[in-house]
């Protein structure tokens, strides 16, 4: 085996523990990716406390933190860890640009969690740091590594059922009240459901259909001052097909739910909790087999492969994910204006 890529994880909260699970899995698989260091301002994160996580159980068997070099200061970690090939940034959103740029300036490739940053200016600063230092930057828009969304994109791009004439995406679950100092519910730090959880479907629209020209968003605030439930329509100058997303993280019940429906000239594709099916106009129903997969694991492996091969992570171009943030900011402006159509 070639020399292993050395990785570090910055931020060991709920999302960070999801990434840590995958890094530990890669160690157990004897892969060419070795996580060597963890960094978090809160030393409690280096213990096996019970962590809430809306995508399933994390660290069920606990972690052996003695296997990693532990830091509570990012500058100290970057000073001492001189052989890092990649860093995963799983900090709160308002710290993404701060942490990412520090790592890039030290000559380390960065996989940063979504959303890319709170402002478009921050996104561009991250991209400029990557380009200046000749390093790769990829944002963890994990739906680009999930079979249902890749399959839908294939149907749209290749017109397998003819032109796509309409599409709808939904994502929802319980309110994430576990975040550090409640940053997720804070508009200025996390952006609420509209900016944090909803960003997945914003990116799906951008990935599958391209950047819209205008948006119109209805949204409601239930906690703090951010939008906790929203519905957005997307408008394109070259198409009149209705595309809509809905997001709600105030649902009752211990579950997380996501689905989509896309209608084509010769059929309809539905992905829901029962699976993914194609309903053809002639009455035929075709089930699409969905593998058991972890999109977060897939994106980490892909990014490492890009580093190993020296190939840019073109499945998730940083400039494209910056446009996803730009779309979400236009949605927020529309919601602030009670649904007024806003240019992206």
């Amino acid at each position: 085996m070639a020399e292993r890529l050395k990785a570090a994880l910055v931020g060991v909260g709920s999302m960070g523990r999801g990434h840590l699970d995958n890094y530990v899995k890669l160690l157990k698989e004897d892969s060419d990716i070795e996580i060597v260091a963890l960094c978090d301002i809160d030393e409690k994160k280096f213990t096996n406390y019970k962590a809430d996580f809306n995508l399933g159980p994390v660290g069920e068997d606990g972690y052996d933190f003695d296997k990693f070099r532990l830091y509570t200061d990012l500058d100290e970690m970057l000073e001492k860890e001189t052989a890092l090939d990649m860093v995963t940034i799983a900090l709160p959103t308002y710290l993404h640009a701060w942490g990412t740029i520090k790592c890039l300036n030290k000559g380390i490739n960065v996989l940063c969690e979504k959303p890319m940053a709170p402002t478009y200016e921050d996104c561009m600063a991250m991209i400029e740091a990557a380009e200046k230092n000749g390093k790769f930057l990829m944002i963890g828009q994990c739906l680009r590594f999930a079979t249902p969304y890749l399959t839908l994109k294939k149907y749209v791009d290749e017109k397998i059922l003819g032109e796509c004439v309409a599409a709808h995406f939904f994502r929802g679950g319980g309110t994430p009240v576990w975040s550090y100092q409640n940053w997720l519910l804070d508009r200025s730090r996390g952006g609420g459901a509209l900016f944090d959880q909803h960003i997945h479907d914003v990116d799906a629209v951008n990935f599958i259909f391209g950047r819209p020209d205008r948006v119109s968003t209805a949204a409601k605030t239930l906690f703090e001052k951010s939008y906790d439930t929203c519905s957005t329509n997307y408008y394109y100058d070259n198409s009149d097909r209705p595309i809509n997303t809905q997001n709600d993280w105030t649902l009752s019940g211990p579950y997380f739910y996501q689905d989509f429906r896309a209608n084509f000239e010769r059929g309809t594709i539905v992905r829901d909790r029962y699976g993914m099916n194609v309903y053809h106009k002639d009455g035929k129903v075709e089930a699409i087999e969905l593998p058991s997969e972890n999109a977060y694991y897939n994106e980490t492996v892909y990014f490492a492969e890009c580093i190993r091969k020296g190939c840019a992570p073109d499945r998730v171009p940083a400039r494209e994910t910056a446009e996803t943030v730009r779309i979400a900011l236009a949605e927020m402006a529309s919601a602030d204006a009670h649904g007024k159509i806003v240019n992206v």
Side-chain angles (χ1 to χ4, degrees):
M1 179 188 292
E3 185 178 351
R4 284 177 166 171
L5 294 176
K6 299 295 191 295
L9 173 63
V10 180
V12 195
S14 292
M15 283 304 305
R17 287 193 168 223
H19 285 285
L20 181 55
D21 252 18
N22 290 323
Y23 274 122
V24 170
K25 183 173 186 287
L26 288 164
L27 282 175
K28 290 178 179 177
E29 293 171 349
D30 198 28
S31 78
D32 66 348
I33 308 168
E34 179 184 10
I35 184 165
V36 298
L38 307 178
C39 182
D40 196 289
I41 195 173
D42 182 5
E43 288 185 295
K44 176 190 173 185
K45 302 294 176 59
F46 304 139
T47 63
N48 285 301
Y49 71 98
K50 182 181 182 298
D52 293 308
F53 194 58
N54 70 346
L55 298 184
V58 175
E60 288 182 308
D61 299 325
Y63 305 108
D64 181 2
F65 287 99
D66 290 337
K67 289 184 176 181
F68 316 115
R69 293 184 287 276
L70 307 175
Y71 299 90
T72 57
D73 182 86
L74 179 56
D75 289 323
E76 180 187 1
M77 187 191 83
L78 295 176
E79 190 67 30
K80 292 182 178 179
E81 300 294 333
T82 58
L84 292 175
D85 299 291
M86 60 184 286
V87 169
T88 294
I89 299 289
L91 293 166
T93 300
Y94 65 100
L95 296 175
H96 281 182
W98 172 81
T100 293
I101 292 170
K102 277 181 178 289
C103 293
L104 289 168
N105 285 341
K106 283 289 187 178
I108 307 168
N109 301 289
V110 174
L111 169 60
C112 178
E113 254 304 329
K114 62 77 201 165
M116 188 172 184
T119 70
Y120 186 70
E121 291 74 20
D122 280 347
C123 295
M124 297 312 296
M126 294 162 73
I127 292 169
E128 288 167 7
E131 293 176 348
K132 179 185 73 174
N133 291 287
K135 294 299 171 181
F136 295 143
L137 167 63
M138 191 178 92
I139 306 306
Q141 293 290 173
C142 63
L143 297 190
R144 297 182 184 226
F145 297 89
T147 297
Y149 296 86
L150 291 171
T151 301
L152 176 59
K153 181 171 173 58
K154 179 180 176 67
Y155 271 76
V156 171
D157 289 349
E158 298 181 11
K159 298 180 172 55
I160 295 172
L161 294 172
E163 292 285 349
C164 180
V165 298
H168 168 78
F169 300 81
F170 176 81
R171 183 171 309 271
T175 310
V177 294
W178 60 80
S179 61
Y180 180 73
Q181 296 180 345
N182 213 27
W183 68 266
L184 271 170
L185 303 186
D186 186 293
R187 175 167 176 153
S188 64
R189 296 185 295 163
L194 189 153
F195 203 76
D196 185 82
Q197 183 174 268
H198 175 57
I199 202 78
H200 282 298
D201 291 316
V202 179
D203 190 66
V205 169
N206 190 23
F207 177 52
I208 296 168
F209 299 103
R211 196 197 81 186
D213 297 291
R214 297 171 304 284
V215 297
S216 174
T217 300
K220 186 173 180 61
T221 298
L222 285 88
F223 307 99
E224 304 294 335
K225 296 180 181 179
S226 59
Y227 292 117
D228 302 298
T229 180
C230 62
S231 176
T232 298
N233 292 319
Y234 302 87
Y235 305 98
Y236 294 80
D237 289 341
N238 62 355
S239 173
D240 58 0
R241 62 185 164 203
I243 298 178
N244 173 268
T245 60
Q246 292 185 17
N247 193 279
D248 191 338
W249 71 12
T250 69
L251 301 182
S252 300
Y255 66 88
F256 173 77
Y257 186 63
Q258 57 181 327
D259 67 20
F260 63 72
R261 180 184 66 253
N263 195 25
F264 296 79
E265 292 173 311
R266 299 194 299 274
T268 301
I269 297 178
V270 177
R271 185 274 175 99
D272 56 23
R273 66 178 63 192
Y274 304 108
M276 187 169 177
N277 293 284
V278 181
Y279 299 90
H280 295 264
K281 290 290 187 184
D282 62 8
K284 176 185 174 184
V285 179
E286 176 188 357
I288 296 178
E289 185 176 350
L290 299 179
S292 175
E293 63 182 351
N294 182 324
Y296 298 97
Y297 175 91
N298 292 345
E299 72 184 8
T300 299
V301 171
Y302 170 80
F303 189 59
E305 288 176 351
C306 289
I307 295 170
R308 179 75 70 190
K309 296 176 181 178
C311 300
D314 291 334
R315 187 185 294 189
V316 197
R319 290 186 180 276
E320 195 170 297
T321 48
E323 291 301 306
T324 292
V325 167
R326 190 171 168 186
I327 298 165
L329 291 170
E331 292 185 38
M332 194 172 290
S334 175
D336 289 344
H338 307 289
K340 178 182 177 180
I341 294 178
V342 171
N343 292 329
V344 175

